Structure formats: structure tokens, C-alpha cells
């Protein structure tokens, strides 16, 4: 099986997936080796080894507790890069366009998934698990199936952070997604729901009309203030940086900005999700075929890539990220029913 020994790690990873059912041992052996190479391939390999749907057909040993991919879930969030450092580095790297780029800086509230806690309150910020909802609330359904609970943000946890003034100052924002949308089987803005529950004192365990197809691993959430720039794959950046050298410099700085504060040698993706800010793209920013209106009419409300709680992983489709968008006027009016869910996948 020469492809499983190919020097190109991306090709080796793709080939291993094809052998999952044909030769489970070769699948496990190849992905175990790839999980230590770092970068996106290493992170995806580690997640594939640990993800419950893939673990069911064959016994797979869990990753060791000290595997570097678990470092963020076991440490508090580091500070984001300061504005003055961003300004200094952008001005030095791209002297022809610093003002235009720096005008694009947006505040965001970075998500930082942590291990689940037995003493965590039901209204706390978290991903996965099962929701607590107010009396009389009806679980959202898509094509007769209950939507999957993605997670919730307690607005009081983030109201002090820059940019959060456009969000409620209290209550819980709860996020749901249709199974097919979350797993990359449906490319549209359908299949998502967002709720704001102002009174957290009345929340109780919610009961779906039938068991959801998936309950994602629970991870408590901490937050950190971030300043974000547009993804290099965006049309906006491409329209500004016509020079190849300037574009390469921006790509390098963007990577440093996203991974700022992570320990030296942490070679996995530095994206842990965020409220507001700019989308970190898996593909490009051609959202128009995914959203009901032109993409310029929307603000990004939440983006969530795959995550780990220090033991388990949650993945969205193949190498995917979920994006909840809200129209500008919907955000101003806090009309959460106007939110739309989109996903990008490898």
C-alpha cells in the first residue's frame, strides 16, 4: 500500500481514510503516526482516532493524556496579541498598506474549551452535552429530527469584553444545528437555530421529542479578548494585497496572530472559535450560495471549529467549521430567529 507511506502527509492522511473499513489496522497505524506530525493533518488525524463514530467498528487506544493537542483544554486562555504589537508588525511587514489593513481590525471574544466540571452551573457557557431550557420551550426540529445542541454562551461571561456591547448583557444564547448541516451533508443556510433565554433562574433539563442522533462532548468555556483581521483566503484581502510578497507576509503574520500565546512547539491549529470578529475560513468567503441574502448584509455571530475537552473530540463533517451569521439589522434588534447556520468543510 504505497500511498500509506507516501512522503506527502496530506495524501497519506486521505489514503488512510479510504482504508478504514478495508484494513482497520492500517488505518489506525497510519493515523497514529500522522497524529504526531503537527499542523492541520496532525490535528485531524488525532481527532479521527478519538472520534466516537470512527471508534465504534474497531477498538482504538485513546491518545495519551499528555498529547500536545490537549494542552489548551488543560490551561487557561492566553492573552491575544495587543493592538500596539499588531500595528508595529503590520507596519513593518507591509509598509505600503498598513493603514488599510489596520482599519479592518475587529474585536472578537475567543472561545477556550476546557474539561467538563461536575459543579458547572446549568446556565454556564459550554459546548456539547444537553441543554437546559426555560419552561414551555419547544425543541427545534428539522425534517422530523430534533436538532443537535451545539452549545451555549452565558452573555454575562462576555459582556465586559470589547465588542460585546452589541450582544445582550445577560441571559443565555443557545445554538442548535441540523444533523445533516453540521456534518456537511447539506450546504445551505437552513438547519440552524439560535435562542436567547433572558431568565437563567428557570432553566431546566430540556427533553427532545426523540433522542438526538448525536450528543457532543461537553466542554466548559472560558473566553479571551481578541483582535482579528480578515482571513488571507478572503476576497477582501486579495483585493488589497496585489503584490505576492506582501500577500505572503500577511499570511505569515495572520498565522502568528491566530496562534499568539500558544506554547512554542504547539503545531496544531490555533483556532478555537470566537464570537463576532472575522470568519476563519476553511474554503473561501463565497457565502452567497449558503446564505439567503448577500453576505455583506450579515455579521458573524459565532464560529466554531472542531474542539476537544481534553479527552474527547467533536468534529463537524470532514475538517469543518460552523458559522452562525445574523443580518446587521437582526443583530441591532436582537432578532435571534434571523440567524442562519452555514458550514465549510475540507
Amino acid at each position: 500500500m504505497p500511498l500509506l507511506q507516501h512522503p506527502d502527509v496530506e495524501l497519506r492522511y486521505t489514503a488512510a481514510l479510504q482504508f478504514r473499513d478495508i484494513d482497520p489496522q492500517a488505518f489506525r497505524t497510519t493515523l497514529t503516526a500522522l497524529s504526531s506530525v503537527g499542523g492541520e493533518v496532525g490535528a485531524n488525524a488525532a481527532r479521527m482516532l478519538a472520534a466516537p463514530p470512527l471508534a465504534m467498528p474497531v477498538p482504538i487506544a485513546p491518545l495519551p493524556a499528555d498529547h500536545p493537542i490537549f494542552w489548551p483544554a488543560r490551561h487557561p486562555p492566553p492573552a491575544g496579541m495587543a493592538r500596539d504589537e499588531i500595528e508595529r508588525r503590520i507596519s513593518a511587514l507591509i509598509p505600503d498598506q498598513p493603514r488599510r489593513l489596520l482599519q479592518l481590525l475587529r474585536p472578537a471574544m475567543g472561545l477556550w474549551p476546557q474539561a467538563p466540571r461536575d459543579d458547572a452551573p446549568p446556565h454556564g457557557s459550554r459546548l456539547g452535552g444537553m441543554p437546559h431550557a426555560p419552561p414551555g420551550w419547544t425543541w427545534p426540529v428539522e425534517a422530523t429530527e430534533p436538532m443537535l445542541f451545539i452549545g451555549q454562551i452565558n452573555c454575562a461571561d462576555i459582556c465586559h469584553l470589547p465588542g460585546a456591547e452589541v450582544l445582550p448583557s445577560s441571559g443565555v444564547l443557545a445554538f442548535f444545528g441540523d444533523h445533516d448541516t453540521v456534518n456537511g451533508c447539506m450546504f445551505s443556510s437552513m438547519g440552524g437555530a439560535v435562542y436567547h433565554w433572558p431568565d437563567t433562574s428557570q432553566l431546566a433539563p430540556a427533553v427532545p421529542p426523540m433522542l438526538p442522533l448525536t450528543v457532543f462532548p461537553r466542554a466548559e468555556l472560558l473566553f479571551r479578548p481578541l483582535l482579528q483581521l480578515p482571513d488571507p483566503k478572503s476576497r477582501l484581502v486579495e483585493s488589497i494585497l496585489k503584490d505576492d510578497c506582501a500577500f505572503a507576509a500577511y499570511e505569515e503574520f495572520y498565522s502568528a496572530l491566530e496562534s499568539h500565546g500558544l506554547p512554542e512547539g504547539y503545531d496544531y491549529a490555533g483556532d478555537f472559535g470566537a464570537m463576532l470578529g472575522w470568519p476563519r475560513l476553511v474554503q473561501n468567503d463565497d457565502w452567497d450560495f449558503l446564505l439567503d441574502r448577500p453576505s455583506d448584509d450579515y455579521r458573524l455571530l459565532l464560529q466554531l471549529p472542531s474542539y476537544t475537552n481534553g479527552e474527547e473530540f467533536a468534529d463537524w463533517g470532514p475538517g469543518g467549521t460552523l458559522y452562525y451569521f445574523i443580518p446587521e439589522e437582526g443583530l441591532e434588534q436582537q432578532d435571534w430567529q434571523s440567524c442562519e447556520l452555514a458550514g465549510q468543510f475540507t
Side-chain angles (χ1 to χ4, degrees), residues 139-218:
W139 195 294
V141 172
E142 180 73 28
T144 74
E145 293 179 356
M147 288 192 187
L148 308 180
F149 176 59
I150 304 300
Q152 64 186 37
I153 306 294
N154 188 318
C155 297
D157 292 341
I158 59 175
C159 64
H160 62 288
L161 298 177
E165 61 275 1
V166 300
L167 300 173
S169 59
S170 61
V172 165
L173 283 171
F175 297 83
F176 294 79
D178 170 65
H179 176 273
D180 288 350
T181 304
V182 166
N183 286 282
C185 304
M186 184 169 67
F187 300 97
S188 75
S189 60
M190 298 176 60
V194 178
Y195 299 89
H196 179 235
W197 298 323
D199 184 1
T200 61
S201 66
Q202 300 297 315
L203 300 184
V207 179
M210 65 180 73
L211 287 178
L213 291 174
T214 304
V215 176
F216 297 108
R218 177 167 177 149

Side-chain angles (χ1 to χ4, degrees), residues 166-168 293 297-299 301 325-339:
V166 300
L167 300 173
R293 292 158 52 176
D297 291 350
Y298 294 86
R299 284 283 301 276
L301 179 62
F325 291 95
I326 185 169
E328 291 280 1
E329 71 274 12
L331 182 59
E332 183 178 345
Q333 300 165 10
Q334 299 195 352
D335 175 15
W336 309 112
Q337 291 185 352
S338 66
C339 291

Side-chain angles (χ1 to χ4, degrees), residues 145-316:
E145 293 179 356
M147 288 192 187
L148 308 180
F149 176 59
I150 304 300
Q152 64 186 37
I153 306 294
N154 188 318
C155 297
D157 292 341
I158 59 175
C159 64
H160 62 288
L161 298 177
E165 61 275 1
V166 300
L167 300 173
S169 59
S170 61
V172 165
L173 283 171
F175 297 83
F176 294 79
D178 170 65
H179 176 273
D180 288 350
T181 304
V182 166
N183 286 282
C185 304
M186 184 169 67
F187 300 97
S188 75
S189 60
M190 298 176 60
V194 178
Y195 299 89
H196 179 235
W197 298 323
D199 184 1
T200 61
S201 66
Q202 300 297 315
L203 300 184
V207 179
M210 65 180 73
L211 287 178
L213 291 174
T214 304
V215 176
F216 297 108
R218 177 167 177 149
E220 314 306 331
L221 281 177
L222 299 177
F223 300 91
R224 57 177 182 154
L226 298 175
L227 287 170
Q228 293 185 331
L229 285 165
D231 193 292
K233 294 187 287 290
S234 67
R235 290 171 291 183
L236 180 56
V237 170
E238 291 177 352
S239 70
I240 296 172
L241 299 177
K242 304 292 188 180
D243 178 75
D244 289 345
C245 291
F247 186 82
Y250 182 84
E251 280 188 309
E252 182 179 353
F253 174 74
Y254 182 84
S255 178
L257 178 65
E258 293 291 297
S259 61
H260 183 79
L262 296 173
E264 187 175 353
Y266 183 84
D267 293 328
Y268 300 93
D271 179 20
F272 306 98
M275 297 282 289
L276 306 177
W278 290 97
R280 179 162 178 165
L281 303 171
V282 178
Q283 302 288 347
N284 54 39
D285 61 352
D286 186 8
W287 301 105
D288 291 346
F289 78 101
L290 293 173
L291 301 172
D292 290 346
R293 292 158 52 176
S295 56
D296 289 344
D297 291 350
Y298 294 86
R299 284 283 301 276
L300 177 66
L301 179 62
L302 171 72
Q303 62 180 319
L304 185 63
S306 302
Y307 68 89
T308 176
N309 61 12
E311 292 184 357
E312 306 165 283
F313 291 88
D315 284 292
W316 321 117

